[in-house]
Amino acid sequence: MQGKCISPGYASLVNIFPTHIRRDGHTVIIDGVIAAVWTLILGIPLFVLFLLLVYYELFLHGVQASFSVFHILGQVVPLHLVTLLLWSSIFWTAAFSIRRFMDKKRQLNNTREWLQTIHAQAYTDALTGIFNRRGFDELFDSGLEQAKIQNQPYMLLLADVNQFKRYNDTHGHLAGDQALQQIAQILMDAVRTGDAVARYGGDEFAVLCPGLERKDAGAIVERIHASCKEKTQLTLSIGTAVYPLDGDYSTLLLQKADDRMYRWKNHKAGE
């Protein structure tokens, strides 16, 4: 009989789930065993200690009884066997519940961390460590809406690496990847802490600067060019657009910044 074939993609999808989610049944058995051990080493001795205290109190009040550990273990405990079983079951249930609660809390924390990691990976460019296109789109839309509500300017900067294909073909893909990482770091160093840098495309980058106007763009662009000249052989063509001066919508601002970026690129190519 021919067996089922599981695609590698499906297997990879299953493997991304945390181990603790897929092995919960195994954990329940372990918690039950641990609760039973705690009942044996702590629950039953506590029950015997309770009986000792009760009979000791009776002895202090003049109740005549043979008061000894052997008496308790040999005669009293068997008489209270039902009580002992009830006590043991209650103790086991309490110990098991505490173990399950702690395990579920640990699972919840692990799952939360895992989801945060997955969420971060979904919005992060794997090569450069900055936001990817998806992260940029969400940040741009939400940031622009916030700027409209607060009636503040919002600057978009697009940057394209000049002659990157030639650089890649000449120096190799590894050097090209390192160059993109270097450009990403240059952009992050050139902007403020609250600004966002993203890899917009293959060799295109975007910067979002809340609260900045057109007059502020020159200083940022100069810092970027100076840093590129100092740290890399590559240069950037840069275009900017500012809300509300250049438009009210993200698509319009992107088009304006893109047009200016390519005008810069064509101008430099003609020199």
Side-chain angles (χ1 to χ4, degrees):
M1 182 176 179
Q2 187 176 3
K4 276 188 177 179
C5 177
I6 300 178
S7 68
Y10 177 79
S12 300
L13 184 63
V14 171
N15 286 333
I16 69 172
F17 288 98
T19 305
H20 66 267
I21 293 179
R22 293 180 278 129
R23 297 183 178 176
D24 190 63
H26 181 64
T27 307
V28 170
I29 296 173
I30 293 176
D31 288 342
V33 172
I34 292 175
V37 172
W38 276 109
T39 302
L40 289 173
I41 66 175
L42 187 60
I44 294 177
L46 283 175
F47 178 76
V48 174
L49 179 62
F50 171 74
L51 291 181
L52 285 171
L53 292 175
V54 169
Y55 277 84
Y56 181 66
E57 185 71 19
L58 294 174
F59 178 78
L60 290 179
H61 287 80
V63 177
Q64 298 298 320
S66 176
F67 179 74
S68 68
V69 175
F70 297 104
H71 173 72
I72 297 296
L73 295 178
Q75 299 182 29
V76 178
V77 171
L79 291 175
H80 295 283
L81 185 59
V82 175
T83 307
L84 175 61
L85 292 175
L86 180 61
W87 166 264
S88 298
S89 64
I90 293 173
F91 192 93
W92 181 89
T93 303
F96 179 76
S97 299
I98 293 173
R99 286 283 307 179
R100 294 304 298 158
F101 172 78
M102 297 301 295
D103 187 65
K104 289 296 183 183
K105 185 178 180 181
R106 184 173 61 252
Q107 287 186 18
L108 182 62
N109 291 335
N110 291 340
T111 303
R112 186 181 294 113
E113 292 175 2
W114 173 73
L115 289 174
Q116 289 173 349
T117 302
I118 296 299
H119 184 269
Q121 290 174 351
Y123 292 92
T124 303
D125 178 61
L127 177 63
T128 60
I130 59 178
F131 288 106
N132 58 16
R133 177 63 181 270
R134 181 180 181 181
F136 166 80
D137 288 340
E138 293 205 11
L139 280 174
F140 191 23
D141 290 339
S142 61
L144 190 57
E145 286 301 316
Q146 192 70 20
K148 292 177 181 179
I149 294 172
Q150 297 178 352
N151 195 26
Q152 292 184 348
Y154 196 84
M155 189 178 78
L156 164 69
L157 182 151
L158 292 181
D160 182 79
V161 183
N162 297 321
Q163 303 296 330
F164 181 71
K165 186 179 184 304
R166 180 186 299 175
Y167 182 90
N168 222 11
D169 293 339
T170 304
H171 297 88
H173 292 290
L174 179 60
D177 289 346
Q178 292 173 344
L180 291 176
Q181 292 170 342
Q182 195 171 33
I183 294 295
Q185 189 61 52
I186 287 172
L187 291 173
M188 286 190 290
D189 292 341
V191 299
R192 304 167 303 173
T193 303
D195 298 336
V197 179
R199 188 179 178 192
Y200 189 69
D203 60 347
E204 291 188 16
F205 295 85
V207 180
L208 298 173
C209 303
L212 294 190
E213 302 178 10
R214 174 68 56 78
K215 61 183 178 64
D216 302 313
I220 294 178
V221 172
E222 286 300 322
R223 285 200 300 271
I224 293 172
H225 285 314
S227 186
C228 284
K229 188 175 181 180
E230 177 185 350
K231 299 177 180 179
T232 180
Q233 304 174 26
L234 295 168
T235 60
L236 298 177
S237 293
I238 298 175
T240 61
V242 178
Y243 164 83
L245 185 63
D246 294 312
D248 295 336
Y249 301 100
S250 58
T251 52
L252 183 57
L253 293 171
L254 282 167
Q255 186 62 51
K256 288 283 184 71
D258 194 62
D259 290 344
R260 289 166 182 164
M261 181 183 70
Y262 277 100
R263 279 206 301 268
W264 181 310
K265 183 180 285 289
N266 293 332
H267 172 70
K268 289 296 181 182
E271 290 184 352

